[in-house]
């Protein structure tokens, strides 16, 4: 279960959220829970987890630069994120692609630097509504997936996580049906198998797009859906605790 706060919850709000969430969600070892707070709130979340003695909740960053350091005002590097306590990072989220113009080539470099820095990259792929209506879902998803892993050796592909997030279902209240999700996840799994063989079965493929406590169980029950990437519903500690307990 991965919660992406996007540009929400500064340090003070993050501390209050974590206290409320940890009261509602007991540690479980049968699942992985990762939070992606804004960079400025990362330390606050980390400190609350340390104070509570909770190593079952992991931390990630929402974006990294493709260079390890340099004159890039406003950016954070993968080594910095690792040093600050993150162990995961999102790469190629739809908003990075479609709001900030991030290219497939940039995404590939970010996957590469994340792996080299000891971060687990969550490579996000997904089609826009007009692409889906044109019947281009599979070609768009495979293009983004293939580009995202193009800068790393095939042996390293097993160290990534893939998140299918149809752009038309993000923050819109529309959700892909479990069958919709399973169909695209099957395509992703098949492509991974062609690259790395049997190890493809070990690569988690997550679904993201208007996930909430009401639809979480049905989505998780779909074939090849190994977890959920949650946006807005992860901002409420009670809602997020309920999803993580699904």
């Amino acid at each position: 279960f991965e919660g992406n706060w996007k540009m929400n919850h500064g340090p003070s709000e993050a501390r209050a959220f974590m206290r409320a969430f940890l009261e509602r969600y007991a540690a479980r070892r049968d699942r992985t829970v990762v939070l992606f707070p804004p960079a400025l709130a990362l330390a606050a979340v980390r400190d609350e987890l340390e104070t509570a003695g909770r190593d079952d909740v992991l931390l990630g960053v929402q974006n990294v630069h493709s260079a390890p350091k340099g004159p890039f005002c406003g950016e954070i590097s993968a080594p910095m994120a690792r040093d600050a306590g993150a162990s995961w990072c999102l790469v190629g989220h739809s908003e990075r692609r479609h709001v900030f113009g991030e290219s497939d080539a940039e995404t590939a470099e970010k996957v590469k630097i994340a792996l080299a820095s000891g971060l687990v990259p969550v490579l996000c792929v997904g089609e826009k509504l007009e692409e889906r209506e044109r019947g281009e879902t599979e070609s768009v998803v495979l293009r983004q997936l293939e580009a995202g892993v193009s800068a790393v050796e095939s042996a390293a592909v097993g160290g990534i996580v893939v998140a299918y997030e149809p752009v038309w279902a993000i923050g819109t209240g529309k959700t892909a049906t479990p069958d919709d999700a399973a169909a695209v996840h099957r395509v992703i799994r098949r492509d991974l198998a062609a690259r790395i063989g049997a190890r493809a079965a070990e690569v988690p493929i997550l679904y993201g797009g208007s996930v909430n406590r009401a639809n979480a169980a049905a989505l998780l029950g779909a074939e090849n859906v190994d977890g959920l990437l949650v946006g807005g519903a992860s901002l409420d500690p009670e809602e997020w605790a309920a999803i993580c307990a699904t």
Side-chain angles (χ1 to χ4, degrees):
F1 296 92
E2 303 185 353
N4 178 15
W5 289 357
K6 305 186 182 181
M7 197 173 71
N8 297 285
H9 291 341
S12 298
E13 292 173 303
R15 290 189 198 94
F17 174 99
M18 291 306 296
R19 291 167 189 166
F21 167 63
L22 295 176
E23 285 179 1
R24 291 166 171 79
Y25 178 72
R28 299 182 60 158
R29 300 299 175 182
D30 63 343
R31 62 201 62 202
T32 301
V33 174
V34 189
L35 279 172
F36 296 86
L40 288 175
L42 182 70
V45 176
R46 179 199 64 204
D47 291 348
E48 288 298 324
L49 289 170
E50 290 178 353
T51 298
R54 295 287 296 271
D55 62 358
D56 59 299
V57 179
L58 306 177
L59 286 177
V61 290
Q62 299 172 16
N63 184 42
V64 292
H65 195 276
S66 57
K69 62 180 180 180
F72 304 107
C73 185
E75 295 289 321
I76 61 172
S77 72
M80 286 178 183
R82 183 70 182 171
D83 185 46
S87 53
W88 293 58
C89 72
L90 299 179
V91 179
H93 187 277
S94 64
E95 287 153 17
R96 298 305 312 174
R97 294 178 187 271
H98 303 303
V99 177
F100 297 101
E102 188 170 303
S103 68
D104 286 342
E106 288 175 299
T107 297
E109 290 302 312
K110 291 181 179 186
V111 169
K112 181 179 179 180
I113 192 72
L115 287 168
S117 303
L119 299 175
V120 177
V122 181
L123 175 61
C124 302
V125 299
E127 81 283 12
K128 295 185 288 188
L129 179 60
E130 56 267 33
E131 292 168 332
R132 183 177 185 83
E133 291 175 341
R134 291 196 299 263
E136 297 173 358
T137 294
E138 183 172 333
S139 62
V140 170
V141 167
L142 289 180
R143 187 201 80 228
Q144 294 172 344
L145 176 62
E146 291 166 5
V149 301
S150 64
V152 299
E153 299 292 332
S154 61
V157 174
I160 72 171
V161 172
V162 179
Y164 169 56
E165 44 159 28
V167 181
W168 50 270
I170 298 173
T172 63
K174 299 178 181 178
T175 308
T177 67
D179 287 345
D180 290 336
V184 178
H185 284 223
R186 192 178 304 118
V187 168
I188 294 170
R189 187 81 69 193
R190 186 174 65 223
D191 185 84
L192 291 171
R195 295 174 183 279
I196 60 176
R199 288 179 300 143
E202 301 172 4
V203 176
I205 305 176
L206 315 180
Y207 170 78
S210 294
V211 176
N212 54 56
R213 73 165 85 186
N215 61 28
L219 289 165
L220 285 169
E223 182 184 5
N224 281 315
V225 175
D226 303 311
L228 302 172
L229 176 58
V230 184
S234 72
L235 296 174
D236 177 84
E238 184 175 351
E239 179 86 356
W240 178 234
I243 293 172
C244 291
T246 303

